[in-house]
Amino acid sequence: MTTARELQTSVWDAECRRDLEAVLSHFHPDAVFHPAGGPAKKGHDAIREMTEEFYSVYPELSIEILNEWGNGESSAVFEFRVNLKDNDGGAVTLDGVILVEIQDGKFTAVRYYEDAPVPVAAATV
């Protein structure tokens, strides 16, 4: 059995590698992703489109799990920090939380919340 942390770490590893097929393999075909500030995306096609759009804006990222609260294999909440680099080489850092629901080792629902991105130069002052 896969724990929530193992599943979350695996999907973020695939995302950092920009392996969209691997990212989608972590979701049930009818999974629902609730992005911060946007409408819910249901199913692989909608999640694919959302992810491709994100990749087109941020070609590089790294993610660190800061805290975790969970219910074994069925659900968890992760506090994270992500470092992003945009197409112009601008770097930003943002913190957020992601709530995940899991069935049979795959995400059925994801709710994503984030703080406003902070330019890296401003964050180090």
Side-chain angles (χ1 to χ4, degrees):
M1 289 281 181
T2 302
T3 67
R5 185 182 185 105
E6 290 169 335
L7 186 62
Q8 190 62 53
T9 300
S10 179
V11 74
W12 277 341
D13 179 59
E15 190 166 354
C16 290
R17 291 190 326 268
R18 296 301 195 246
D19 186 341
L20 185 53
E21 295 309 314
V23 168
L24 292 172
S25 75
H26 292 81
F27 291 86
H28 276 274
D30 60 349
V32 180
F33 192 105
H34 301 268
K41 310 297 183 186
K42 184 172 183 180
H44 280 191
D45 289 343
I47 295 169
R48 175 188 303 277
E49 183 178 328
M50 174 188 67
T51 305
E52 286 174 339
E53 183 178 320
F54 175 78
Y55 288 175
S56 73
V57 176
Y58 295 106
E60 292 181 42
L61 83 149
S62 64
I63 305 168
E64 173 187 5
I65 294 175
L66 304 175
N67 287 300
E68 172 187 359
W69 302 269
N71 187 21
E73 300 164 3
S74 64
S75 62
V77 177
F78 298 95
E79 179 184 19
F80 64 89
R81 176 166 294 137
V82 63
N83 297 298
L84 301 164
K85 192 174 284 186
D86 65 24
N87 290 314
D88 297 325
V92 296
T93 297
L94 64 85
D95 292 339
V97 294
I98 190 165
L99 295 78
V100 297
E101 295 177 33
I102 300 164
Q103 185 177 15
D104 301 322
K106 293 187 178 196
F107 297 119
T108 57
V110 174
R111 295 181 185 279
Y112 178 89
Y113 304 93
E114 64 185 39
D115 293 336
V118 176
V120 170
T124 60
V125 174

